[in-house]
Amino acid sequence: MKKKIIVGVVTVSLLAGTGLYSYNQRVLAKEAAQIEQIQIEKLENAERAVDSLYNSKRTMLAGDLKTKLKKAEIAVSKVEKTGAKERLSKEIRQVKKIAKVQQEVYGTLKNGVLIKNVTLENLKEINQSLITIKSQNERIYAYLAEYLSEANSQLTAIDTALNKVKEAEKSLDRKMYNNALKLVNKVKNPVKREELSKKLEQVNTKLVAMEEERLAAEKATSEKLATEQHQSAVPSNSKQPISSSSAPSNNSSNGSVSSNPKANSSTGSNNSNYSGTTSDGSSSETNWDEAGKNLEDHDWSNSGSGEIGTTGNGSGNTWDSWN
């Protein structure tokens, strides 16, 4: 009887122990599942925090990056899986490096306009830094490279305009000035554009003075030439009626007699100055140049004309009288 009781107690104890073990295992499994879920949630939170460091397409870094970096670092520190934690920590370090390069690139332009003190050497150094992040994120590299290219283009425009301004200053040529002015107007930086414009204003002042001086000289030359032409034309016109009156007309060839005003004027006191005999009876040589000049200095008017020994049909001799 005692043996039966002992066997029964042992059997019950075994059954109770088995049930307790199964219960404990279920509890442990549930706890493990809960722990796993917590770890998964921590990893997901860390990944979301790291993703927030970029824009939706990961083509550029997000705004308010400093604050988001702190949150991401805290979230990643809670991740217990070693591999995932290291991966996310590495990405945070890369973002910090990209952010530093991005800040250098953004420092070349302000509101799309080149900063005044940026030099070609600055752009070369920034470009070298930019190349180092190409392997980490090619999309961000492409965006920042395009941004830096705009800065380089604006700097090139300034240097080109400056060289043209120097050429205009040296040549003092209106065409060179106009070419330089077009390039200066394309400079986006207002400070640089103003500096170059002032240099061109000085060039233009000199050009205007030169142009006015040249126009004045051309005007003086034109007026002098016109005066000379007028003076050369006056003696020629005054001699024409004298030479025509002294030459025989077509009517005189037919036997007409012409009373020449010069011939009439030669009879008088002035006649002794040009021809005839001197007071001592000796002959003097006629000075026709002096005689012609004297006669040309008088004003002559026709006082009458007519025909001699004709019936009025114009076939006889003619006469003219001059005073």
Side-chain angles (χ1 to χ4, degrees):
M1 186 69 180
K2 290 182 179 179
K3 291 182 178 179
K4 292 182 179 179
I5 293 172
I6 293 171
V7 170
V9 171
V10 171
T11 302
V12 172
S13 298
L14 290 173
L15 291 174
T18 302
L20 180 61
Y21 175 79
S22 297
Y23 172 78
N24 289 336
Q25 289 298 316
R26 287 196 300 271
V27 171
L28 291 175
K30 185 177 180 180
E31 290 178 350
Q34 291 176 344
I35 293 173
E36 180 68 18
Q37 182 63 32
I38 292 173
Q39 291 179 350
I40 291 174
E41 291 177 355
K42 288 180 178 180
L43 178 59
E44 290 177 348
N45 289 335
E47 289 177 339
R48 282 194 296 269
V50 172
D51 286 340
S52 69
L53 303 177
Y54 308 90
N55 65 353
S56 59
K57 296 181 179 180
R58 285 188 169 233
T59 56
M60 58 187 298
L61 297 180
D64 194 17
L65 186 62
K66 187 176 181 179
T67 300
K68 292 178 179 179
L69 273 171
K70 288 182 178 180
K71 290 181 179 180
E73 288 175 335
I74 293 173
V76 171
S77 67
K78 295 178 180 180
V79 174
E80 297 181 5
K81 292 184 177 181
T82 305
K85 187 173 185 177
E86 178 58 29
R87 173 176 58 82
L88 294 175
S89 297
K90 181 180 179 180
E91 188 167 358
I92 289 176
R93 291 193 297 270
Q94 290 177 347
V95 169
K96 288 182 177 180
K97 183 178 180 180
I98 293 173
K100 183 179 179 181
V101 175
Q102 177 177 274
Q103 186 177 5
E104 292 178 356
V105 174
Y106 284 172
T108 61
L109 300 177
K110 184 177 181 180
N111 297 326
V113 177
L114 184 71
I115 301 299
K116 177 184 176 182
N117 296 326
V118 173
T119 65
L120 182 60
E121 291 300 322
N122 295 145
L123 296 183
K124 288 181 179 180
E125 292 176 0
I126 295 172
N127 187 60
Q128 290 299 319
S129 300
L130 182 60
I131 292 174
T132 62
I133 70 170
K134 184 176 182 180
S135 60
Q136 299 173 11
N137 191 312
E138 290 193 5
R139 289 184 176 183
I140 293 180
Y141 166 80
Y143 166 74
L144 294 178
E146 183 178 357
Y147 192 98
L148 191 62
S149 176
E150 173 62 20
N152 187 70
S153 296
Q154 293 190 29
L155 181 61
T156 301
I158 292 174
D159 291 340
T160 303
L162 178 59
N163 290 334
K164 289 298 181 181
V165 169
K166 290 180 178 179
E167 290 178 5
E169 289 175 329
K170 184 177 180 180
S171 65
L172 290 179
D173 178 77
R174 176 60 68 180
K175 184 177 180 180
M176 296 295 293
Y177 167 84
N178 291 336
N179 291 337
L181 182 61
K182 290 179 181 179
L183 294 176
V184 169
N185 289 336
K186 292 181 180 179
V187 173
K188 292 185 177 181
N189 183 284
V191 177
K192 288 290 187 181
R193 186 172 60 247
E194 181 66 18
E195 289 178 359
L196 296 175
S197 296
K198 288 182 178 180
K199 291 180 179 292
L200 280 183
E201 287 176 3
Q202 296 176 358
V203 174
N204 186 55
T205 300
K206 294 179 180 179
L207 285 173
V208 170
M210 291 171 58
E211 289 166 353
E212 290 177 349
E213 183 178 351
R214 183 174 65 251
L215 289 175
E218 290 176 354
K219 182 179 179 181
T221 301
S222 178
E223 291 177 350
K224 181 180 179 181
L225 180 60
T227 301
E228 291 176 350
Q229 291 177 344
H230 177 71
Q231 289 177 348
S232 63
V234 169
S236 175
N237 294 335
S238 63
K239 290 179 181 179
Q240 184 175 358
I242 298 173
S243 61
S244 62
S245 62
S246 62
S249 64
N250 291 336
N251 288 336
S252 64
S253 65
N254 294 328
S256 64
V257 178
S258 175
S259 177
N260 193 309
K262 292 183 179 180
N264 293 336
S265 64
S266 65
T267 60
S269 60
N270 291 336
N271 190 41
S272 60
N273 294 331
Y274 311 116
S275 63
T277 58
T278 61
S279 58
D280 59 358
S282 62
S283 62
S284 64
E285 184 179 355
T286 303
N287 188 341
W288 292 111
D289 292 336
E290 186 67 18
K293 183 177 183 305
N294 194 316
L295 292 174
E296 288 172 0
D297 291 336
H298 292 76
D299 293 327
W300 300 93
S301 62
N302 192 312
S303 60
S305 63
E307 296 181 356
I308 302 174
T310 64
T311 60
N313 58 4
S315 61
N317 297 324
T318 62
W319 63 270
D320 293 273
S321 176
W322 296 81
N323 294 324

